Amino acid sequence: MALLLALSSVLLLVGPALAQSPDMSYEDYMAQVQACPKECRCPPSFPNAVYCDNKSLKHIPTIPPHTWYLYLQNNLIDILSTAAFRNATQLRWINLNRNRITSEGMEEGALATMLRLVHLYMDDNLLSSVPANLPSSLEQLRLSRNRISKIPAGVFSGLDRLTLLELQGNKLQDDAVTEVSLKGLSNLVQINLAKNQLTTMPLGLPITITQLFLDNNAIEKIPADYFKGLPKVAFLRLNSNKLGNGGLPKNVFNMSSILDLQLSHNQLTQVPMIPSGLEHLHLDHNQIKSVNGSDICPVSADALEGYATETAPKLRYLRLDGNEIKPPIPRDLMVCFRLLRSIVI
């Protein structure tokens, strides 16, 4: 009786506001609150959200039908069952980070009925393969720090709305990341493949990629025409690989789209050619002994005297610490890169 009185008091306070909401009627609100799992929290002020995080749960409770946001991180869940989500067809966001879900523990079609799901977080689990049968509505898929070594052919088929794919900290090798395995990602903008076991630049990436993160692999070289198939790359991270100057063709980074290039913690002995549109360059912790501004300047020596500031190379930030370079900064570097505002040596 006391619980009913308390619930009635809450409804009297929030009922009128909810009745005006286009997202949830008063009747739906009643059904949502009454169906809230006893292991979870369903705040009256945020009725579309269900918080089941940090509860040491081993199984997913039955989720109320009007749930949009579901928080299940930091539990002991090892199975993703179809039964738990049978009625939760309105889910937009699921956080399953830091559980114990394996590929074998993902029941076939467990997420297939969620036709409105946009964000799926499954970082820090025990997956060995990218999950199949994901809803076509998905826009962000986060699978970092699992044990993924396989990307099955066709697994991304129909996911043409996916813009972000996080796969860092897995066990992917060169033969796992191919044009066949990535087929279907026709609108992907960001892919994170850092901290895997790649020794070559991944093949078959969608031409829509603007952010490519490949830190902490074992990549030794970049093919000369590699970026011809990636005309929109603006942010490229290749920190902590095995790149030497022999692995970087002279004009490999000559792309009009690139803004931020990170090559820290490699084996470079010279500064690579800098494209005119690049704004940030990270070359710290290599083996560079000197910088010759004339050699790396994207503008010819004859044009240096007369070019206007608006047509000058766009480099603003250059990091060179952790090398063998000693001050002062060469004058020809500043003559070329007139917009340079910060150099770290």
Side-chain angles (χ1 to χ4, degrees):
M1 179 61 72
L3 179 60
L4 287 174
L5 288 173
L7 181 58
S8 298
S9 299
V10 170
L11 292 178
L12 284 171
L13 289 171
V14 302
L18 287 167
Q20 299 172 5
S21 170
D23 298 325
M24 183 181 290
S25 68
Y26 185 79
E27 292 75 16
D28 289 343
Y29 173 83
M30 289 281 293
Q32 180 76 359
V33 171
Q34 291 173 350
C36 184
K38 66 179 187 303
E39 306 94 334
C40 309
R41 294 181 297 110
C42 305
S45 59
F46 194 17
N48 291 117
V50 176
Y51 294 86
C52 308
D53 52 307
N54 296 288
K55 299 292 184 182
S56 299
L57 298 178
K58 295 184 178 180
H59 303 285
I60 299 174
T62 300
I63 305 304
H66 300 288
T67 305
W68 287 17
Y69 308 98
L70 177 60
Y71 300 89
L72 287 160
Q73 67 269 28
N74 297 311
N75 281 297
L76 306 172
I77 298 165
D78 57 4
I79 293 177
L80 205 61
S81 67
T82 55
F85 297 118
R86 183 173 291 117
N87 297 321
T89 58
Q90 297 189 36
L91 278 167
R92 271 75 162 170
W93 181 306
I94 303 177
N95 190 333
L96 283 158
N97 290 346
R98 293 179 292 280
N99 277 283
R100 299 180 179 179
I101 301 168
T102 63
S103 293
E104 295 74 20
M106 287 199 66
E107 294 186 6
E108 186 175 355
L111 303 173
T113 60
M114 301 179 192
L115 303 181
R116 301 180 183 182
L117 189 64
V118 176
H119 299 265
L120 177 59
Y121 293 73
M122 295 189 71
D123 296 336
D124 299 288
N125 277 278
L126 303 174
L127 299 173
S128 58
S129 178
V130 173
N133 300 312
L134 296 174
S136 60
S137 56
L138 209 59
E139 295 180 9
Q140 295 193 9
L141 177 60
R142 300 174 187 264
L143 301 170
S144 297
R145 295 176 299 279
N146 277 271
R147 300 176 180 179
I148 296 173
S149 61
K150 294 180 293 184
I151 304 177
V155 74
F156 295 121
S157 179
L159 296 184
D160 55 3
R161 296 183 185 179
L162 198 71
T163 59
L164 182 146
L165 177 59
E166 291 276 348
L167 285 165
Q168 69 167 319
N170 281 287
K171 298 183 177 182
L172 292 168
Q173 297 184 356
D174 298 325
D175 59 357
V177 186
T178 66
E179 185 175 359
V180 173
S181 64
L182 298 177
K183 188 175 182 179
L185 298 174
S186 57
N187 286 300
L188 196 66
V189 173
Q190 177 179 319
I191 186 168
N192 191 339
L193 292 164
K195 297 184 179 179
N196 275 281
Q197 299 172 12
L198 302 176
T199 61
T200 61
M201 297 293 287
L203 301 175
L205 296 179
I207 63 171
T208 51
I209 290 291
T210 65
Q211 299 179 53
L212 175 58
F213 303 148
L214 294 165
D215 314 87
N216 294 94
N217 280 285
I219 297 170
E220 297 182 1
K221 63 180 180 180
I222 304 175
D225 59 350
Y226 182 80
F227 293 106
K228 288 183 179 179
L230 297 169
K232 297 183 179 181
V233 170
F235 301 89
L236 176 62
R237 291 195 337 219
L238 280 157
N239 302 318
S240 300
N241 277 280
K242 296 182 178 180
L243 291 166
N245 286 91
L248 298 182
K250 183 176 180 181
N251 293 312
V252 69
F253 299 123
N254 189 22
M255 301 177 283
S256 60
S257 60
I258 194 161
L259 300 174
D260 188 289
L261 175 60
Q262 299 188 21
L263 295 165
S264 305
H265 294 274
N266 277 282
Q267 299 168 13
L268 300 175
T269 57
Q270 298 175 341
V271 177
M273 184 64 72
I274 300 175
S276 60
L278 189 69
E279 296 183 4
H280 297 86
L281 177 60
H282 298 248
L283 293 169
D284 55 285
H285 298 90
N286 278 277
Q287 300 167 21
I288 301 169
K289 295 182 179 180
S290 63
V291 181
N292 187 320
S294 300
D295 289 345
I296 63 174
C297 185
V299 178
S300 66
D302 293 337
L304 276 177
E305 294 300 326
Y307 74 90
T309 301
E310 57 268 20
T311 60
K314 299 298 188 290
L315 192 67
R316 288 171 167 80
Y317 178 87
L318 175 60
R319 185 171 175 184
L320 289 164
D321 53 305
N323 286 283
E324 300 176 33
I325 301 170
K326 303 249 186 326
I329 298 167
R331 181 180 179 277
D332 55 4
L333 188 70
M334 304 307 298
V335 169
C336 176
F337 300 101
R338 298 180 183 181
L339 300 178
L340 197 57
R341 293 294 177 266
S342 179
I343 302 178
V344 183
I345 297 182

